[in-house]
PDB file of all heavy atoms in Angstrom:
ATOM      1  N   THR U 274     -51.255 -15.788  12.736  1.00  0.00           N
ATOM      2  CA  THR U 274     -50.023 -16.344  13.307  1.00  0.00           C
ATOM      3  C   THR U 274     -49.695 -17.727  12.783  1.00  0.00           C
ATOM      4  O   THR U 274     -48.687 -18.303  13.172  1.00  0.00           O
ATOM      5  CB  THR U 274     -50.145 -16.417  14.846  1.00  0.00           C
ATOM      6  OG1 THR U 274     -51.256 -17.272  15.170  1.00  0.00           O
ATOM      7  CG2 THR U 274     -50.370 -15.045  15.439  1.00  0.00           C
ATOM      8  N   THR U 275     -50.531 -18.272  11.910  1.00  0.00           N
ATOM      9  CA  THR U 275     -50.270 -19.635  11.437  1.00  0.00           C
ATOM     10  C   THR U 275     -48.945 -19.729  10.702  1.00  0.00           C
ATOM     11  O   THR U 275     -48.301 -20.774  10.702  1.00  0.00           O
ATOM     12  CB  THR U 275     -51.400 -20.108  10.512  1.00  0.00           C
ATOM     13  OG1 THR U 275     -51.529 -19.191   9.430  1.00  0.00           O
ATOM     14  CG2 THR U 275     -52.718 -20.184  11.255  1.00  0.00           C
ATOM     15  N   GLY U 276     -48.534 -18.648  10.087  1.00  0.00           N
ATOM     16  CA  GLY U 276     -47.295 -18.671   9.331  1.00  0.00           C
ATOM     17  C   GLY U 276     -46.063 -18.790  10.212  1.00  0.00           C
ATOM     18  O   GLY U 276     -44.991 -19.171   9.746  1.00  0.00           O
ATOM     19  N   LEU U 277     -46.160 -18.478  11.505  1.00  0.00           N
ATOM     20  CA  LEU U 277     -45.001 -18.548  12.382  1.00  0.00           C
ATOM     21  C   LEU U 277     -44.474 -19.968  12.522  1.00  0.00           C
ATOM     22  O   LEU U 277     -43.298 -20.195  12.784  1.00  0.00           O
ATOM     23  CB  LEU U 277     -45.364 -18.004  13.767  1.00  0.00           C
ATOM     24  CG  LEU U 277     -45.688 -16.505  13.823  1.00  0.00           C
ATOM     25  CD1 LEU U 277     -46.088 -16.111  15.232  1.00  0.00           C
ATOM     26  CD2 LEU U 277     -44.494 -15.685  13.358  1.00  0.00           C
ATOM     27  N   ALA U 278     -45.363 -20.943  12.312  1.00  0.00           N
ATOM     28  CA  ALA U 278     -44.964 -22.340  12.465  1.00  0.00           C
ATOM     29  C   ALA U 278     -44.034 -22.795  11.345  1.00  0.00           C
ATOM     30  O   ALA U 278     -43.351 -23.804  11.478  1.00  0.00           O
ATOM     31  CB  ALA U 278     -46.197 -23.232  12.502  1.00  0.00           C
ATOM     32  N   VAL U 279     -43.998 -22.047  10.264  1.00  0.00           N
ATOM     33  CA  VAL U 279     -43.174 -22.471   9.135  1.00  0.00           C
ATOM     34  C   VAL U 279     -42.028 -21.494   8.880  1.00  0.00           C
ATOM     35  O   VAL U 279     -41.462 -21.472   7.791  1.00  0.00           O
ATOM     36  CB  VAL U 279     -44.037 -22.612   7.863  1.00  0.00           C
ATOM     37  CG1 VAL U 279     -45.027 -23.733   8.016  1.00  0.00           C
ATOM     38  CG2 VAL U 279     -44.740 -21.308   7.513  1.00  0.00           C
ATOM     39  N   LEU U 280     -41.678 -20.676   9.869  1.00  0.00           N
ATOM     40  CA  LEU U 280     -40.551 -19.773   9.700  1.00  0.00           C
ATOM     41  C   LEU U 280     -39.275 -20.563   9.441  1.00  0.00           C
ATOM     42  O   LEU U 280     -39.038 -21.618  10.038  1.00  0.00           O
ATOM     43  CB  LEU U 280     -40.362 -18.911  10.951  1.00  0.00           C
ATOM     44  CG  LEU U 280     -41.375 -17.791  11.176  1.00  0.00           C
ATOM     45  CD1 LEU U 280     -41.066 -17.068  12.479  1.00  0.00           C
ATOM     46  CD2 LEU U 280     -41.364 -16.818  10.020  1.00  0.00           C
ATOM     47  N   LYS U 281     -38.477 -20.035   8.520  1.00  0.00           N
ATOM     48  CA  LYS U 281     -37.213 -20.681   8.203  1.00  0.00           C
ATOM     49  C   LYS U 281     -36.066 -19.821   8.707  1.00  0.00           C
ATOM     50  O   LYS U 281     -36.197 -18.611   8.853  1.00  0.00           O
ATOM     51  CB  LYS U 281     -37.092 -20.864   6.693  1.00  0.00           C
ATOM     52  CG  LYS U 281     -38.229 -21.674   6.080  1.00  0.00           C
ATOM     53  CD  LYS U 281     -38.093 -21.695   4.570  1.00  0.00           C
ATOM     54  CE  LYS U 281     -39.261 -22.422   3.937  1.00  0.00           C
ATOM     55  NZ  LYS U 281     -39.188 -22.400   2.457  1.00  0.00           N
ATOM     56  N   LYS U 282     -34.965 -20.446   8.942  1.00  0.00           N
ATOM     57  CA  LYS U 282     -33.804 -19.691   9.387  1.00  0.00           C
ATOM     58  C   LYS U 282     -33.346 -18.702   8.319  1.00  0.00           C
ATOM     59  O   LYS U 282     -32.682 -17.716   8.626  1.00  0.00           O
ATOM     60  CB  LYS U 282     -32.663 -20.653   9.728  1.00  0.00           C
ATOM     61  CG  LYS U 282     -32.938 -21.511  10.952  1.00  0.00           C
ATOM     62  CD  LYS U 282     -31.746 -22.410  11.266  1.00  0.00           C
ATOM     63  CE  LYS U 282     -32.023 -23.259  12.492  1.00  0.00           C
ATOM     64  NZ  LYS U 282     -30.879 -24.154  12.817  1.00  0.00           N
ATOM     65  N   THR U 283     -33.737 -18.996   7.083  1.00  0.00           N
ATOM     66  CA  THR U 283     -33.310 -18.112   5.995  1.00  0.00           C
ATOM     67  C   THR U 283     -34.300 -16.980   5.729  1.00  0.00           C
ATOM     68  O   THR U 283     -34.062 -16.166   4.841  1.00  0.00           O
ATOM     69  CB  THR U 283     -33.142 -18.931   4.700  1.00  0.00           C
ATOM     70  OG1 THR U 283     -34.367 -19.611   4.433  1.00  0.00           O
ATOM     71  CG2 THR U 283     -32.008 -19.937   4.830  1.00  0.00           C
ATOM     72  N   ASP U 284     -35.418 -16.937   6.464  1.00  0.00           N
ATOM     73  CA  ASP U 284     -36.376 -15.847   6.263  1.00  0.00           C
ATOM     74  C   ASP U 284     -35.725 -14.515   6.604  1.00  0.00           C
ATOM     75  O   ASP U 284     -34.981 -14.389   7.599  1.00  0.00           O
ATOM     76  CB  ASP U 284     -37.618 -16.048   7.135  1.00  0.00           C
ATOM     77  CG  ASP U 284     -38.561 -17.083   6.538  1.00  0.00           C
ATOM     78  OD1 ASP U 284     -38.459 -17.335   5.324  1.00  0.00           O
ATOM     79  OD2 ASP U 284     -39.378 -17.631   7.295  1.00  0.00           O
ATOM     80  N   LEU U 285     -35.993 -13.526   5.806  1.00  0.00           N
ATOM     81  CA  LEU U 285     -35.481 -12.180   6.022  1.00  0.00           C
ATOM     82  C   LEU U 285     -36.602 -11.301   6.564  1.00  0.00           C
ATOM     83  O   LEU U 285     -37.758 -11.468   6.208  1.00  0.00           O
ATOM     84  CB  LEU U 285     -34.953 -11.596   4.709  1.00  0.00           C
ATOM     85  CG  LEU U 285     -33.873 -12.416   4.000  1.00  0.00           C
ATOM     86  CD1 LEU U 285     -33.484 -11.730   2.687  1.00  0.00           C
ATOM     87  CD2 LEU U 285     -32.649 -12.597   4.889  1.00  0.00           C
ATOM     88  N   PHE U 286     -36.251 -10.350   7.422  1.00  0.00           N
ATOM     89  CA  PHE U 286     -37.233  -9.492   8.063  1.00  0.00           C
ATOM     90  C   PHE U 286     -36.822  -8.029   7.968  1.00  0.00           C
ATOM     91  O   PHE U 286     -35.656  -7.691   7.872  1.00  0.00           O
ATOM     92  CB  PHE U 286     -37.377  -9.849   9.547  1.00  0.00           C
ATOM     93  CG  PHE U 286     -38.021 -11.177   9.814  1.00  0.00           C
ATOM     94  CD1 PHE U 286     -37.271 -12.344   9.772  1.00  0.00           C
ATOM     95  CD2 PHE U 286     -39.375 -11.263  10.093  1.00  0.00           C
ATOM     96  CE1 PHE U 286     -37.864 -13.569  10.011  1.00  0.00           C
ATOM     97  CE2 PHE U 286     -39.973 -12.482  10.330  1.00  0.00           C
ATOM     98  CZ  PHE U 286     -39.212 -13.643  10.289  1.00  0.00           C
ATOM     99  N   THR U 287     -37.832  -7.181   8.013  1.00  0.00           N
ATOM    100  CA  THR U 287     -37.623  -5.754   8.242  1.00  0.00           C
ATOM    101  C   THR U 287     -38.394  -5.410   9.511  1.00  0.00           C
ATOM    102  O   THR U 287     -38.737  -6.303  10.290  1.00  0.00           O
ATOM    103  CB  THR U 287     -38.098  -4.922   7.032  1.00  0.00           C
ATOM    104  OG1 THR U 287     -37.808  -3.559   7.295  1.00  0.00           O
ATOM    105  CG2 THR U 287     -39.572  -5.116   6.752  1.00  0.00           C
ATOM    106  N   ASP U 288     -38.675  -4.138   9.746  1.00  0.00           N
ATOM    107  CA  ASP U 288     -39.512  -3.768  10.898  1.00  0.00           C
ATOM    108  C   ASP U 288     -40.386  -2.579  10.510  1.00  0.00           C
ATOM    109  O   ASP U 288     -40.245  -1.996   9.428  1.00  0.00           O
ATOM    110  CB  ASP U 288     -38.677  -3.470  12.148  1.00  0.00           C
ATOM    111  CG  ASP U 288     -37.748  -2.280  11.986  1.00  0.00           C
ATOM    112  OD1 ASP U 288     -37.942  -1.491  11.023  1.00  0.00           O
ATOM    113  OD2 ASP U 288     -36.842  -2.124  12.811  1.00  0.00           O
ATOM    114  N   SER U 289     -41.301  -2.224  11.379  1.00  0.00           N
ATOM    115  CA  SER U 289     -42.256  -1.166  11.054  1.00  0.00           C
ATOM    116  C   SER U 289     -41.566   0.180  10.867  1.00  0.00           C
ATOM    117  O   SER U 289     -41.993   0.992  10.035  1.00  0.00           O
ATOM    118  CB  SER U 289     -43.336  -1.064  12.135  1.00  0.00           C
ATOM    119  OG  SER U 289     -42.767  -0.733  13.383  1.00  0.00           O
ATOM    120  N   SER U 290     -40.508   0.426  11.618  1.00  0.00           N
ATOM    121  CA  SER U 290     -39.807   1.702  11.489  1.00  0.00           C
ATOM    122  C   SER U 290     -39.209   1.866  10.095  1.00  0.00           C
ATOM    123  O   SER U 290     -39.303   2.933   9.479  1.00  0.00           O
ATOM    124  CB  SER U 290     -38.698   1.809  12.540  1.00  0.00           C
ATOM    125  OG  SER U 290     -39.235   1.824  13.838  1.00  0.00           O
ATOM    126  N   PHE U 291     -38.619   0.789   9.596  1.00  0.00           N
ATOM    127  CA  PHE U 291     -38.016   0.873   8.277  1.00  0.00           C
ATOM    128  C   PHE U 291     -39.089   0.999   7.200  1.00  0.00           C
ATOM    129  O   PHE U 291     -38.924   1.757   6.235  1.00  0.00           O
ATOM    130  CB  PHE U 291     -37.142  -0.351   8.007  1.00  0.00           C
ATOM    131  CG  PHE U 291     -36.248  -0.186   6.800  1.00  0.00           C
ATOM    132  CD1 PHE U 291     -34.980   0.357   6.939  1.00  0.00           C
ATOM    133  CD2 PHE U 291     -36.687  -0.534   5.531  1.00  0.00           C
ATOM    134  CE1 PHE U 291     -34.154   0.541   5.827  1.00  0.00           C
ATOM    135  CE2 PHE U 291     -35.877  -0.357   4.423  1.00  0.00           C
ATOM    136  CZ  PHE U 291     -34.602   0.188   4.571  1.00  0.00           C
ATOM    137  N   VAL U 292     -40.193   0.263   7.352  1.00  0.00           N
ATOM    138  CA  VAL U 292     -41.286   0.362   6.393  1.00  0.00           C
ATOM    139  C   VAL U 292     -41.802   1.791   6.331  1.00  0.00           C
ATOM    140  O   VAL U 292     -41.988   2.366   5.251  1.00  0.00           O
ATOM    141  CB  VAL U 292     -42.427  -0.613   6.739  1.00  0.00           C
ATOM    142  CG1 VAL U 292     -43.664  -0.341   5.887  1.00  0.00           C
ATOM    143  CG2 VAL U 292     -41.969  -2.055   6.564  1.00  0.00           C
ATOM    144  N   GLU U 293     -42.020   2.390   7.518  1.00  0.00           N
ATOM    145  CA  GLU U 293     -42.530   3.762   7.555  1.00  0.00           C
ATOM    146  C   GLU U 293     -41.515   4.747   6.992  1.00  0.00           C
ATOM    147  O   GLU U 293     -41.879   5.708   6.309  1.00  0.00           O
ATOM    148  CB  GLU U 293     -42.903   4.150   8.988  1.00  0.00           C
ATOM    149  CG  GLU U 293     -44.117   3.427   9.537  1.00  0.00           C
ATOM    150  CD  GLU U 293     -45.349   3.645   8.683  1.00  0.00           C
ATOM    151  OE1 GLU U 293     -45.464   4.689   8.018  1.00  0.00           O
ATOM    152  OE2 GLU U 293     -46.214   2.750   8.665  1.00  0.00           O
ATOM    153  N   SER U 294     -40.245   4.507   7.262  1.00  0.00           N
ATOM    154  CA  SER U 294     -39.205   5.391   6.734  1.00  0.00           C
ATOM    155  C   SER U 294     -39.185   5.338   5.206  1.00  0.00           C
ATOM    156  O   SER U 294     -39.094   6.377   4.534  1.00  0.00           O
ATOM    157  CB  SER U 294     -37.845   4.974   7.299  1.00  0.00           C
ATOM    158  OG  SER U 294     -36.812   5.730   6.706  1.00  0.00           O
ATOM    159  N   TRP U 295     -39.291   4.127   4.671  1.00  0.00           N
ATOM    160  CA  TRP U 295     -39.272   3.978   3.221  1.00  0.00           C
ATOM    161  C   TRP U 295     -40.504   4.635   2.601  1.00  0.00           C
ATOM    162  O   TRP U 295     -40.389   5.371   1.622  1.00  0.00           O
ATOM    163  CB  TRP U 295     -39.225   2.490   2.850  1.00  0.00           C
ATOM    164  CG  TRP U 295     -38.987   2.251   1.384  1.00  0.00           C
ATOM    165  CD1 TRP U 295     -37.795   2.058   0.768  1.00  0.00           C
ATOM    166  CD2 TRP U 295     -39.986   2.211   0.360  1.00  0.00           C
ATOM    167  NE1 TRP U 295     -37.979   1.900  -0.590  1.00  0.00           N
ATOM    168  CE2 TRP U 295     -39.320   1.986  -0.873  1.00  0.00           C
ATOM    169  CE3 TRP U 295     -41.364   2.348   0.336  1.00  0.00           C
ATOM    170  CZ2 TRP U 295     -39.982   1.881  -2.089  1.00  0.00           C
ATOM    171  CZ3 TRP U 295     -42.036   2.251  -0.869  1.00  0.00           C
ATOM    172  CH2 TRP U 295     -41.351   2.013  -2.062  1.00  0.00           C
ATOM    173  N   LEU U 296     -41.666   4.381   3.162  1.00  0.00           N
ATOM    174  CA  LEU U 296     -42.896   4.969   2.629  1.00  0.00           C
ATOM    175  C   LEU U 296     -42.866   6.488   2.716  1.00  0.00           C
ATOM    176  O   LEU U 296     -43.375   7.183   1.837  1.00  0.00           O
ATOM    177  CB  LEU U 296     -44.118   4.419   3.380  1.00  0.00           C
ATOM    178  CG  LEU U 296     -44.454   2.952   3.140  1.00  0.00           C
ATOM    179  CD1 LEU U 296     -45.580   2.500   4.077  1.00  0.00           C
ATOM    180  CD2 LEU U 296     -44.857   2.716   1.684  1.00  0.00           C
ATOM    181  N   GLY U 297     -42.266   7.000   3.781  1.00  0.00           N
ATOM    182  CA  GLY U 297     -42.190   8.450   3.938  1.00  0.00           C
ATOM    183  C   GLY U 297     -41.275   9.112   2.929  1.00  0.00           C
ATOM    184  O   GLY U 297     -41.448  10.288   2.598  1.00  0.00           O
ATOM    185  N   ALA U 298     -40.299   8.357   2.439  1.00  0.00           N
ATOM    186  CA  ALA U 298     -39.324   8.929   1.509  1.00  0.00           C
ATOM    187  C   ALA U 298     -39.771   8.827   0.057  1.00  0.00           C
ATOM    188  O   ALA U 298     -39.179   9.450  -0.825  1.00  0.00           O
ATOM    189  CB  ALA U 298     -37.976   8.228   1.671  1.00  0.00           C
ATOM    190  N   GLN U 299     -40.808   8.034  -0.196  1.00  0.00           N
ATOM    191  CA  GLN U 299     -41.259   7.802  -1.568  1.00  0.00           C
ATOM    192  C   GLN U 299     -42.623   8.431  -1.813  1.00  0.00           C
ATOM    193  O   GLN U 299     -43.443   8.531  -0.905  1.00  0.00           O
ATOM    194  CB  GLN U 299     -41.353   6.292  -1.850  1.00  0.00           C
ATOM    195  CG  GLN U 299     -40.082   5.531  -1.560  1.00  0.00           C
ATOM    196  CD  GLN U 299     -38.908   6.042  -2.391  1.00  0.00           C
ATOM    197  OE1 GLN U 299     -39.063   6.300  -3.586  1.00  0.00           O
ATOM    198  NE2 GLN U 299     -37.764   6.195  -1.761  1.00  0.00           N
ATOM    199  N   ARG U 300     -42.867   8.827  -3.056  1.00  0.00           N
ATOM    200  CA  ARG U 300     -44.177   9.344  -3.442  1.00  0.00           C
ATOM    201  C   ARG U 300     -45.059   8.161  -3.853  1.00  0.00           C
ATOM    202  O   ARG U 300     -45.245   7.873  -5.021  1.00  0.00           O
ATOM    203  CB  ARG U 300     -44.034  10.335  -4.587  1.00  0.00           C
ATOM    204  CG  ARG U 300     -43.464  11.671  -4.164  1.00  0.00           C
ATOM    205  CD  ARG U 300     -42.815  12.404  -5.315  1.00  0.00           C
ATOM    206  NE  ARG U 300     -43.677  12.463  -6.502  1.00  0.00           N
ATOM    207  CZ  ARG U 300     -43.197  12.662  -7.726  1.00  0.00           C
ATOM    208  NH1 ARG U 300     -41.890  12.748  -7.912  1.00  0.00           N
ATOM    209  NH2 ARG U 300     -44.011  12.748  -8.748  1.00  0.00           N
ATOM    210  N   VAL U 301     -45.569   7.478  -2.851  1.00  0.00           N
ATOM    211  CA  VAL U 301     -46.387   6.294  -3.076  1.00  0.00           C
ATOM    212  C   VAL U 301     -47.857   6.682  -2.931  1.00  0.00           C
ATOM    213  O   VAL U 301     -48.223   7.409  -2.010  1.00  0.00           O
ATOM    214  CB  VAL U 301     -46.040   5.182  -2.058  1.00  0.00           C
ATOM    215  CG1 VAL U 301     -46.873   3.944  -2.315  1.00  0.00           C
ATOM    216  CG2 VAL U 301     -44.552   4.866  -2.119  1.00  0.00           C
ATOM    217  N   ASP U 302     -48.709   6.197  -3.830  1.00  0.00           N
ATOM    218  CA  ASP U 302     -50.117   6.564  -3.736  1.00  0.00           C
ATOM    219  C   ASP U 302     -50.723   6.030  -2.453  1.00  0.00           C
ATOM    220  O   ASP U 302     -50.245   5.061  -1.863  1.00  0.00           O
ATOM    221  CB  ASP U 302     -50.888   6.075  -4.963  1.00  0.00           C
ATOM    222  CG  ASP U 302     -51.201   4.605  -4.939  1.00  0.00           C
ATOM    223  OD1 ASP U 302     -52.226   4.238  -4.352  1.00  0.00           O
ATOM    224  OD2 ASP U 302     -50.415   3.823  -5.503  1.00  0.00           O
ATOM    225  N   SER U 303     -51.784   6.664  -1.986  1.00  0.00           N
ATOM    226  CA  SER U 303     -52.335   6.380  -0.664  1.00  0.00           C
ATOM    227  C   SER U 303     -52.819   4.944  -0.526  1.00  0.00           C
ATOM    228  O   SER U 303     -52.634   4.318   0.519  1.00  0.00           O
ATOM    229  CB  SER U 303     -53.481   7.351  -0.344  1.00  0.00           C
ATOM    230  OG  SER U 303     -54.510   7.260  -1.311  1.00  0.00           O
ATOM    231  N   LEU U 304     -53.449   4.389  -1.571  1.00  0.00           N
ATOM    232  CA  LEU U 304     -53.939   3.013  -1.487  1.00  0.00           C
ATOM    233  C   LEU U 304     -52.787   2.029  -1.352  1.00  0.00           C
ATOM    234  O   LEU U 304     -52.846   1.089  -0.549  1.00  0.00           O
ATOM    235  CB  LEU U 304     -54.785   2.689  -2.713  1.00  0.00           C
ATOM    236  CG  LEU U 304     -56.122   3.417  -2.837  1.00  0.00           C
ATOM    237  CD1 LEU U 304     -56.809   3.038  -4.134  1.00  0.00           C
ATOM    238  CD2 LEU U 304     -57.017   3.103  -1.645  1.00  0.00           C
ATOM    239  N   ALA U 305     -51.737   2.211  -2.148  1.00  0.00           N
ATOM    240  CA  ALA U 305     -50.580   1.322  -2.059  1.00  0.00           C
ATOM    241  C   ALA U 305     -49.863   1.497  -0.727  1.00  0.00           C
ATOM    242  O   ALA U 305     -49.347   0.532  -0.147  1.00  0.00           O
ATOM    243  CB  ALA U 305     -49.619   1.599  -3.214  1.00  0.00           C
ATOM    244  N   ARG U 306     -49.839   2.713  -0.205  1.00  0.00           N
ATOM    245  CA  ARG U 306     -49.198   2.969   1.090  1.00  0.00           C
ATOM    246  C   ARG U 306     -49.898   2.183   2.200  1.00  0.00           C
ATOM    247  O   ARG U 306     -49.265   1.506   3.016  1.00  0.00           O
ATOM    248  CB  ARG U 306     -49.239   4.471   1.383  1.00  0.00           C
ATOM    249  CG  ARG U 306     -48.534   4.901   2.665  1.00  0.00           C
ATOM    250  CD  ARG U 306     -48.770   6.384   2.916  1.00  0.00           C
ATOM    251  NE  ARG U 306     -48.307   7.185   1.794  1.00  0.00           N
ATOM    252  CZ  ARG U 306     -47.048   7.588   1.630  1.00  0.00           C
ATOM    253  NH1 ARG U 306     -46.139   7.275   2.531  1.00  0.00           N
ATOM    254  NH2 ARG U 306     -46.708   8.312   0.587  1.00  0.00           N
ATOM    255  N   ILE U 307     -51.221   2.287   2.232  1.00  0.00           N
ATOM    256  CA  ILE U 307     -51.995   1.585   3.261  1.00  0.00           C
ATOM    257  C   ILE U 307     -51.827   0.077   3.125  1.00  0.00           C
ATOM    258  O   ILE U 307     -51.622  -0.640   4.112  1.00  0.00           O
ATOM    259  CB  ILE U 307     -53.481   1.980   3.166  1.00  0.00           C
ATOM    260  CG1 ILE U 307     -53.658   3.448   3.547  1.00  0.00           C
ATOM    261  CG2 ILE U 307     -54.350   1.090   4.056  1.00  0.00           C
ATOM    262  CD1 ILE U 307     -55.043   4.002   3.219  1.00  0.00           C
TER     263      ILE U 307
END
């Protein structure tokens, strides 16, 4: 959590649902997926 102290207003975020959706749609090798 140390990085939370330096969050900028310009930081961009995604969420776990989108990450999982993207990984599910791509043929990504298991090590890179994890």
Side-chain angles (χ1 to χ4, degrees):
T274 60
T275 57
L277 294 178
V279 294
L280 286 178
K281 302 175 183 177
K282 292 182 180 180
T283 56
D284 282 340
L285 304 178
F286 291 83
T287 183
D288 63 15
S289 62
S290 296
F291 193 90
V292 170
E293 291 302 332
S294 174
W295 189 93
L296 291 173
Q299 306 300 317
R300 286 157 49 202
V301 181
D302 77 86
S303 59
L304 292 177
R306 183 186 302 276
I307 293 169

